[in-house]
């Protein structure tokens, strides 16, 4: 760390790079591209599968190849950002993501598509932590940081639903290939802008040698964990390979922790995760994402299969949730972030979202969009937006600048692993409840229309059962936020400490002078 200056709450930031707000535009654009890609491909998948002759058994690899590469390499990507410089890593990640997207759009075989998706994951793992850590080191003033992370949090939360709309339009009115090609102009504009505008603060790199054993163990551990949950969704939790993947992931990740505690220059310094506040944030964010990912999946199926909505109409149906997230992040979270402790935004935010989710447990085949889904999605969006915004900021607040990349990577890792767990766990619960319901009720349905009705009722019953579990998970996330996150108002959070013990709420934070 170069020179430091103690800063009181609300104090004026050091005269930093005047272009940091312009830089935020290009960082936000890149983040939007990555988040959009997570859902836009789901809409295009049926058309792409048919065009490329991908079998039903292999179609999951369009999603899984990306998830494995992205989730497995995030910590490595964060460390590379600290080592090479965040701007350089950010631009490289954008260039690679654009090239991989062009390859996916031009794919002529299933194997070519799987390879393109894996490459997208590799470069996404460089891009995502570099983007978040750039914000962490460029915005140090409490009020400016609140605004910057409010924008970033709104995009992170709402971009997925926007991807459903854009994916629906591109697939219905152009071609599925445009769901990949659309990334290229995003990436080119963001990379060009970042190259000319971003000025990374001096003295913020970590030039220690790369921890190769840590890279290998963390990558293999996270890949096997994500693959285990992905396989559980398709092959069941008792499948021998699924169980083997979970056992291997536990062994690999425990070995990773032991290695990190002993090496001089660890890939993930344990001080980053053992800090009470950051540990609580990573855990509560991961749990919240478990609930969110399952809900997106269920509502998409409910609206398209049960209600008969088109892909475009389904995307528009999610807009109230997007509006709620943007409002919660930029209006509630940003305005209150410098006035109240983070736990008083995160805890109530998760509870608010849980209440919105609770409404959705009442889903029926003929449920009204306006009377049930609309208020539930608004509440869910408001709650998540309010909670995500301070969480994103506090996850990197007070961390040593040389650790900003890996701290940011841990935010993305908790979200990625949470997404994999949520999709597999909640989908399995929903499928089991549906099967049980249909088995119990199908005997009383003689005619085919009645049998079809029972199947639809069983599907909705499965969704509501899984949503009950998601409500409980969000309640646990709120409890963790209330009990673990004890930092004061952002901007008064202490610098990173090894354990997080003995932290007082109102200790000034060291700020890197630009």
């Amino acid at each position: 760390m170069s020179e430091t200056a103690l800063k009181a709450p609300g104090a004026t930031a050091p005269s930093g790079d005047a272009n940091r707000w312009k830089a935020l535009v290009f960082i936000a654009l890149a983040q939007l591209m990555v988040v959009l890609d997570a859902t836009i491909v789901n809409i295009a998948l049926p058309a792409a599968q048919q065009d490329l002759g991908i079998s039903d058994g292999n179609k999951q690899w369009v999603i899984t190849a990306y998830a494995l590469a992205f989730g497995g390499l995030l910590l490595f990507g964060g460390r590379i950002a600290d080592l090479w410089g965040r701007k350089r890593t950010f631009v490289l990640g954008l260039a690679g993501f654009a090239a991989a997207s062009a390859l996916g759009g031009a794919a002529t075989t299933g194997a070519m598509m799987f390879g393109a998706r894996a490459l997208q994951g590799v470069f996404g793992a460089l891009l995502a932590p570099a983007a978040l850590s750039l914000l962490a080191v460029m915005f140090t003033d409490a009020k400016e940081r609140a605004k910057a992370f409010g924008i970033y949090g709104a995009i992170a939360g709402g971009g997925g639903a926007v991807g459903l709309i854009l994916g629906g339009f591109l697939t219905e009115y152009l071609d599925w290939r445009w769901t990949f090609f659309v990334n290229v102009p995003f990436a080119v504009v963001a990379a060009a802008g970042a190259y000319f505008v971003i000025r990374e603060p001096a003295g913020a790199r970590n030039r220690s040698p790369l921890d190769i054993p840590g890279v290998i163990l963390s990558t293999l551990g996270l890949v096997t964990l994500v693959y285990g949950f992905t396989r559980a969704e398709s092959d069941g939790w008792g499948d021998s390979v699924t169980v083997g993947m979970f056992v291997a992931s536990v062994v690999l990740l425990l070995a990773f922790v032991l290695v990190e505690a002993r090496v001089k220059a660890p890939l993930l310094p344990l001080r980053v995760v053992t800090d009470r506040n950051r540990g609580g944030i990573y855990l509560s964010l991961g749990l919240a994402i478990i609930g969110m990912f399952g809900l997106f999946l269920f509502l998409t199926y409910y609206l398209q299969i049960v209600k008969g909505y088109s892909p475009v109409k389904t995307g528009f149906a999610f807009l109230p949730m997007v509006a709620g997230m943007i409002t919660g992040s930029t209006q509630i979270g940003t305005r209150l972030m410098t006035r109240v402790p983070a736990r008083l935004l995160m805890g109530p935010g998760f509870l608010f979202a849980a209440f919105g989710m609770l409404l959705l447990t009442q889903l029926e085949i003929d449920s009204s969009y306006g009377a049930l889904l609309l208020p539930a999605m608004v509440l869910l969006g408001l709650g998540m937006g309010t909670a995500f915004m301070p969480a994103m900021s506090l996850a990197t607040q007070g961390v040593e600048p040389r650790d900003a990349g890996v701290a940011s990577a841990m935010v993305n890792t908790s979200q990625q692993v949470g997404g994999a767990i949520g999709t597999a766990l909640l989908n399995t619960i929903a499928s089991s409840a549906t099967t049980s319901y249909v088995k119990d009720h199908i005997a009383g349905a003689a005619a085919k229309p009645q049998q079809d009705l029972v199947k639809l009722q069983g599907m909705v019953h499965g969704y509501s059962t899984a949503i009950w579990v998601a409500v409980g998970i969000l309640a646990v996330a709120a409890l963790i936020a209330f009990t673990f996150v004890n930092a004061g108002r952002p901007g008064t959070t202490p610098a990173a400490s090894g354990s997080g013990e003995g932290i007082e709420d109102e200790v000034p934070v060291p700020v890197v002078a630009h």
Side-chain angles (χ1 to χ4, degrees):
M1 190 183 299
S2 60
E3 166 187 358
T4 61
L6 289 179
K7 180 168 84 70
T12 306
S15 56
D17 180 9
N19 286 330
R20 61 189 177 277
W21 288 107
K22 293 178 185 174
L24 175 63
V25 173
F26 300 111
I27 293 170
L29 185 64
Q31 172 67 10
L32 179 62
M33 179 189 72
V34 172
V35 175
L36 284 177
D37 190 74
T39 51
I40 200 172
V41 173
N42 289 335
I43 296 288
L45 184 54
Q49 180 187 356
Q50 188 175 354
D51 259 17
L52 301 179
I54 300 171
S55 68
D56 283 339
N58 286 333
K59 71 178 181 181
Q60 64 161 329
W61 284 102
V62 177
I63 307 300
T64 304
Y66 177 86
L68 291 181
F70 187 70
L73 292 170
L74 270 168
L75 282 176
F76 177 62
R79 178 67 182 87
I80 289 294
D82 288 336
L83 180 65
W84 287 357
R86 294 164 192 92
K87 174 181 173 178
R88 184 183 300 173
T89 307
F90 183 70
V91 173
L92 175 64
L94 282 166
F97 200 91
S101 297
L103 183 66
T108 53
T109 64
M112 190 173 170
M113 169 63 75
F114 303 151
R117 289 290 285 161
L119 278 176
Q120 279 187 310
V122 169
F123 287 105
L126 288 175
L127 175 60
L132 186 56
S133 58
L134 275 170
L135 288 188
V137 298
M138 292 177 74
F139 291 90
T140 53
D141 173 70
K143 290 183 178 178
E144 285 194 353
R145 189 180 178 91
K147 291 176 185 175
F149 276 89
I151 294 167
Y152 187 89
I155 289 171
V162 176
L164 294 171
I165 300 171
L166 188 58
F169 266 111
L170 293 173
T171 304
E172 278 192 36
Y173 301 118
L174 288 174
D175 186 80
W176 66 265
R177 296 181 184 276
W178 281 98
T179 62
F180 287 89
F181 290 143
V182 75
N183 289 332
V184 177
F186 271 97
V188 169
V189 171
Y195 182 80
F196 289 109
V197 169
I198 289 178
R199 299 287 179 270
E200 194 174 343
R205 285 198 201 176
N206 184 347
R207 299 181 187 275
S208 303
L210 195 60
D211 170 23
I212 301 299
V215 169
I216 294 170
L217 288 170
S218 69
T219 301
L220 290 177
L222 289 170
V223 163
T224 53
L225 181 64
V226 172
Y227 183 58
F229 278 107
T230 303
R231 189 178 174 87
E233 187 184 356
S234 55
D235 294 75
W237 296 91
D239 176 71
S240 58
V241 177
T242 302
V243 173
M245 287 290 127
F246 286 134
V247 171
S249 69
V250 170
V251 171
L252 287 163
L253 292 174
L254 280 175
F256 171 66
V257 172
L258 292 174
V259 167
E260 298 309 275
R262 284 167 172 74
V263 296
K264 281 188 178 179
L267 172 69
L268 175 63
L270 296 183
R271 61 180 174 268
V272 171
V273 290
T274 54
D275 175 86
R276 174 176 180 160
N277 291 286
R278 275 190 296 278
I281 282 167
Y282 298 146
L283 190 55
S284 60
L285 266 184
L287 287 169
I289 292 293
I290 288 175
M292 279 293 291
F293 263 66
L295 185 74
F296 267 124
L297 183 71
F298 298 145
L299 284 185
T300 301
Y301 278 117
Y302 175 79
L303 291 170
Q304 290 194 30
I305 296 174
V306 179
K307 304 296 273 187
Y309 285 21
S310 69
V312 172
K313 190 176 179 182
T314 299
F316 276 108
F318 277 103
L319 275 182
M321 187 187 294
V322 178
M325 283 181 176
I326 292 172
T327 303
S329 185
T330 61
Q331 299 304 310
I332 302 173
T334 300
R335 291 176 186 274
L336 295 180
M337 185 172 145
T338 54
R339 300 176 185 178
V340 300
R343 66 178 178 273
L344 298 184
L345 289 173
M346 290 179 62
F350 289 139
L351 288 178
F352 219 57
F355 181 68
M357 198 92 80
L358 188 64
L359 293 180
L360 290 173
T361 61
Q362 307 305 308
L363 269 183
E364 301 286 349
I365 287 180
D366 57 353
S367 291
S368 162
Y369 175 84
L372 180 66
L373 273 75
L374 178 63
M377 286 200 279
V378 169
L379 287 172
L380 192 62
L382 280 172
M384 284 297 191
T386 301
F388 273 29
M389 191 263 156
M392 291 280 190
S393 176
L394 197 60
T396 52
Q397 180 100 9
V399 76
E400 296 179 28
R402 65 196 174 111
D403 295 334
V406 289
S408 302
M410 276 302 299
V411 176
N412 289 285
T413 301
S414 66
Q415 291 177 307
Q416 185 65 24
V417 172
I421 294 171
T423 303
L425 176 65
L426 296 179
N427 204 36
T428 304
I429 292 168
S431 298
S432 299
T434 296
T435 303
S436 177
Y437 183 94
V438 171
K439 186 178 177 181
D440 291 343
H441 293 80
I442 198 73
K448 190 176 183 303
Q450 291 174 310
Q451 292 176 351
D452 290 341
L453 179 63
V454 168
K455 288 175 183 177
L456 282 179
Q457 288 170 336
M459 190 182 296
V460 175
H461 172 74
Y463 297 158
S464 62
T465 302
I467 289 170
W468 270 111
V469 176
V471 171
I473 291 170
L474 276 175
V476 173
L479 181 64
I480 289 170
F482 277 124
T483 53
F484 278 78
V485 181
N486 68 345
R489 301 187 304 274
T492 64
T493 308
S497 64
S499 66
E501 293 177 4
I503 288 174
E504 298 297 332
D505 276 3
E506 298 294 331
V507 180
V509 65
V511 178
V512 179
H514 293 258

